[in-house]
Amino acid sequence: MATGRGRVFRNYRLGLERLRSSGGAPRAGPHERLQAPPRSPHNSSQVTPKVLPSKPKACGRSKICKTPAATSQVHIESLPSEMLLKILAYVDAASLLCMGSLNKRFHTLVNDNSLWYRLYSREWGAQKWRPSDEVAEALGAASVSERPDGYWKRLYLRKVAVRSENRWRSQLKAVSPYTGLPSHTEQVLRSLHVTWEISILDKRGRETTFEQSYACFFESSVAVCWRSTCWPFLKNVSTLQLHGVARDGPVSRSLSVRRSLVAKYDLDGVRGKFIGSDKLVNMLHIPPGLIVGVWRGQMSIAFFMVTLHFHKLVERSILGTSVCPYTAPVERCPFDDVDPNYGLHGYTLHISLHSSVKQMMSGHFTHLFCRKDQIRNGFIPLRVIRRNDMSQHTSISGKINTPWKTEVLEGIIQNCCMVSLTLLDEAQNPFWCVSTPVSLQLSSQESVSYDYMGENYVVSHGDADGRVLMELVWLEEQGQFFLVHLVVSMATEKVNKHFGREY
C-alpha cells in the first residue's frame, strides 16, 4: 500500500512539472484541484492529471457564497432628449411646471414648443374647418418650429389665466341689494384658495413670513388673525407687508403660488393708537385696519389682526405683484343731472359692527341726502340716525368686545370692535368703503334724553376720505347697547373729484 501511495504522488508531481514546462495549459485556481485518474494495470507509467472544478464553499450552515453580478443602473437624465420629450408628452401642465425647476436641462426641455402646443391644441384647438391629417401635421409642425422657445408655454398660461379670471369675474357680477357689494365674494376667495400672510422686516434686514391662523367672513368684510410663538420684539420691526396668496389648490397640494401686495405698514417708531386693553395685552391700531396685540409691561408682540373690506378685495388679493399693490382702473365720472345747488341725494349706507369671530349689528339705510348749505369745514355730512327719531334707533346684541387668542393664552378686550362701512352714491356704486377697528369712549356730555337712562359712549373714525361719528347708550337692565346717533361725513375734495363739482 505504501508503494501504491508513493507511485500516485510521483505521478502527481510529474504531471505538475509537465504543465509548468508546457506553459499553455491552465493552472489550477484557488477553487480547483488536480485529480489523478485511476491507475490502470496495463498503463501504470503514463498518468495525465485532470483539472476538476471544485464545489463552492459553504458559508455558515445553509447559505452558499456567490459572486455578486455586476448591475448597471439607468437614470432618467442619461436618456436622450428625444426620448425624454416623448415621456413628457404624457405629463399635464402642472407637472411640467414643477419639472422645469429640477435643473437646467429639464428647464430647457419643458419649454419645448411641441409639448405646450399639444396641450394648447387639446384645450382650445377645436376649429370649424379642419384640414386633412397630413396637411394639419405639416402646418402644425411648421408653425411650432418657427416660434421661439417658450412661445406656446406663455400662450397656454395666458389663456388659462384669462379663462380663470373670466370665470370669477362673472361670479362677482351678482350684486347684493343689501350691501351693494358682490354677493359671492367669499365663495370666489375660497374657490381661488386665497389666504393672507404677513412679512415682517426687522431693522437688520431679515424678513420672516407668517401664514394666517384663521379668517372669519362677515357681510362686507373679513377678519384675519395670526398667532405664533416666535414673534420679534416690536421695537426691532421696521415694516410689515400684508400679501394675498392665491394657490392653484389647497395649501397641502398647491403647486404654484402667486402673491399680491395688499397693504404696507411702517412700524418704525410705532405711530399707532392704543384702542383697548385687558390684564394681559394692549391693542395697538395702525391704519389701515391693522391691530397689533402687545404684551403689557413689555413691547413684545402677542398677535396680529386685520380687517379687510370686500370692495375690490379679490382683485387686490390676486392681481397685484409682491411689491406693487393692485391699482383699480380710473372710472368715468357719472353724469349728474341734478342742480348742484340742491346738494347730494339718493345715497345708501350699509354698516356693521363685528369682532374677529362674531357680528353684533348690521344696518341698511337709504335715501340719504345733504343740502348745499349744510356743507361745512370741508366735509359733507349725511345724517343717518337722529337722536329725536326713535324709529331709527338700532339695538346691538350683547356687549361690544373683541376676543383674542395666542398659542398659549386667550382673553377678551371690552369696548372694542371693528366697523365695516359701505357708502353707495346715487347710482348705487361704492363711493367710500372702510373697515377699521374702533373703541368706545365714555361721553363727556350727560344725556338729556328721557327715553334712555344709561351711560353714553362715543365711537369716531376719520381719514382723508371721510369721517364717522356714532353715539351709543348702554342699558344695564336690558344688557345691550342702542345706537342713537350716526353721522357719516364725506370729504368735499373727494366728492368734487369724483363728480366734477365745486362744492
Side-chain angles (χ1 to χ4, degrees):
M1 293 180 63
T3 305
R5 287 197 298 270
R7 187 181 293 108
V8 171
F9 286 117
R10 185 178 68 250
N11 294 337
Y12 183 74
R13 180 175 58 80
L14 292 175
L16 290 177
E17 291 178 355
R18 291 194 192 97
L19 289 174
R20 292 173 182 174
S21 61
S22 62
R27 295 185 179 182
H31 299 289
E32 297 176 345
R33 57 187 176 89
L34 295 176
Q35 181 178 356
R39 183 168 58 92
S40 174
H42 303 285
N43 191 9
S44 59
S45 60
Q46 296 180 357
V47 178
T48 303
K50 185 178 181 181
V51 180
L52 298 178
S54 63
K55 296 181 180 180
K57 296 182 179 180
C59 298
R61 296 182 178 179
S62 60
K63 295 183 179 180
I64 298 177
C65 295
K66 296 182 180 180
T67 304
T71 58
S72 61
Q73 297 181 357
V74 179
H75 297 278
I76 189 172
E77 294 186 3
S78 63
L79 298 177
S81 300
E82 293 78 6
M83 188 174 295
L84 288 176
L85 289 176
K86 290 289 185 180
I87 297 174
L88 294 178
Y90 297 93
V91 180
D92 58 354
S95 301
L96 282 178
L97 293 175
C98 291
M99 296 183 68
S101 60
L102 292 177
N103 51 39
K104 186 176 181 180
R105 186 188 181 194
F106 273 96
H107 178 74
T108 304
L109 290 174
V110 166
N111 287 334
D112 189 87
N113 283 329
S114 61
L115 300 176
W116 294 98
Y117 177 76
R118 185 179 290 104
L119 292 174
Y120 185 90
S121 302
R122 190 182 305 167
E123 292 286 341
W124 300 283
Q127 302 292 337
K128 293 182 179 180
W129 174 80
R130 301 187 66 179
S132 61
D133 296 339
E134 293 80 9
V135 176
E137 184 178 359
L139 292 176
S143 61
V144 171
S145 60
E146 291 175 358
R147 301 295 184 180
D149 291 339
Y151 170 81
W152 287 102
K153 175 184 176 181
R154 292 189 296 270
L155 188 62
Y156 177 86
L157 296 179
R158 189 182 303 115
K159 197 84 171 180
V160 170
V162 171
R163 181 177 62 180
S164 176
E165 182 176 348
N166 292 337
R167 185 184 297 114
W168 61 258
R169 283 191 182 277
S170 62
Q171 296 177 356
L172 293 179
K173 289 182 179 180
V175 178
S176 171
Y178 184 69
T179 62
L181 300 171
S183 55
H184 300 296
T185 301
E186 179 182 353
Q187 290 82 348
V188 171
L189 291 172
R190 293 187 183 276
S191 64
L192 296 176
H193 305 282
V194 175
T195 58
W196 294 272
E197 64 182 21
I198 54 176
S199 300
I200 298 177
L201 182 67
D202 61 12
K203 296 181 180 179
R204 295 183 178 181
R206 294 178 299 183
E207 187 178 53
T208 309
T209 302
F210 300 89
E211 296 184 356
Q212 71 177 39
S213 299
Y214 67 92
C216 188
F217 289 86
F218 300 98
E219 292 178 343
S220 59
S221 62
V222 56
V224 190
C225 302
W226 294 266
R227 54 174 181 256
S228 176
T229 57
C230 54
W231 297 116
F233 283 96
L234 186 59
K235 63 180 181 180
N236 297 331
V237 178
S238 176
T239 58
L240 184 145
Q241 292 182 347
L242 174 64
H243 289 91
V245 182
R247 296 177 171 86
D248 58 356
V251 178
S252 59
R253 298 187 291 105
S254 60
L255 298 177
S256 62
V257 177
R258 304 184 304 275
R259 288 177 172 83
S260 175
L261 180 63
V262 178
K264 186 175 182 179
Y265 304 90
D266 184 11
L267 300 184
D268 193 6
V270 191
R271 301 174 183 176
K273 176 184 177 183
F274 286 99
I275 59 175
S277 62
D278 61 3
K279 295 181 179 180
L280 296 177
V281 299
N282 295 324
M283 289 184 63
L284 178 66
H285 172 218
I286 300 177
L290 177 65
I291 297 177
V292 183
V294 182
W295 295 111
R296 298 192 66 173
Q298 53 183 342
M299 293 300 290
S300 58
I301 300 173
F303 58 87
F304 282 99
M305 291 185 189
V306 70
T307 173
L308 302 172
H309 199 277
F310 275 175
H311 180 57
K312 301 292 183 181
L313 181 58
V314 178
E315 291 85 346
R316 290 185 293 154
S317 299
I318 65 176
L319 295 184
T321 64
S322 59
V323 294
C324 297
Y326 166 77
T327 303
V330 179
E331 299 180 357
R332 296 181 58 183
C333 298
F335 177 72
D336 189 1
D337 57 351
V338 180
D339 187 0
N341 294 324
Y342 180 71
L344 302 181
H345 61 91
Y347 279 69
T348 304
L349 175 69
H350 175 269
I351 187 171
S352 65
L353 301 180
H354 60 87
S355 65
S356 58
V357 294
K358 69 174 183 177
Q359 182 168 290
M360 308 167 193
M361 188 273 289
S362 176
H364 181 76
F365 306 92
T366 59
H367 305 294
L368 305 179
F369 66 92
C370 177
R371 295 190 298 269
K372 187 176 181 180
D373 56 356
Q374 296 176 339
I375 301 175
R376 294 182 179 87
N377 301 325
F379 286 92
I380 303 176
L382 298 175
R383 302 187 182 278
V384 184
I385 298 178
R386 293 175 171 83
R387 298 186 186 92
N388 54 4
D389 190 354
M390 293 189 61
S391 62
Q392 297 179 341
H393 296 176
T394 305
S395 62
I396 300 175
S397 60
K399 295 183 178 181
I400 296 179
N401 53 44
T402 299
W404 59 269
K405 186 177 182 180
T406 65
E407 296 291 345
V408 180
L409 302 174
E410 60 183 9
I412 298 177
I413 298 180
Q414 301 293 337
N415 298 333
C416 182
C417 67
M418 303 175 187
V419 175
S420 296
L421 180 145
T422 307
L423 183 63
L424 309 178
D425 60 12
E426 57 190 44
Q428 299 304 301
N429 295 322
F431 181 72
W432 183 37
C433 301
V434 62
S435 185
T436 180
V438 295
S439 62
L440 279 67
Q441 304 293 334
L442 275 173
S443 177
S444 58
Q445 299 179 358
E446 296 183 359
S447 176
V448 296
S449 175
Y450 297 100
D451 300 318
Y452 301 101
M453 300 299 294
E455 295 179 340
N456 292 348
Y457 291 87
V458 177
V459 178
S460 62
H461 168 75
D463 56 23
D465 295 333
R467 297 185 302 188
V468 181
L469 177 63
M470 293 185 289
E471 293 184 8
L472 298 91
V473 179
W474 169 252
L475 301 182
E476 187 67 30
E477 295 181 357
Q478 288 81 357
Q480 63 180 1
F481 284 94
F482 272 85
L483 180 60
V484 298
H485 184 66
L486 174 59
V487 178
V488 177
S489 302
M490 296 177 294
T492 306
E493 182 180 357
K494 179 179 176 65
V495 176
N496 292 337
K497 183 179 179 180
H498 185 71
F499 294 102
R501 297 297 188 184
E502 295 181 357
Y503 289 118

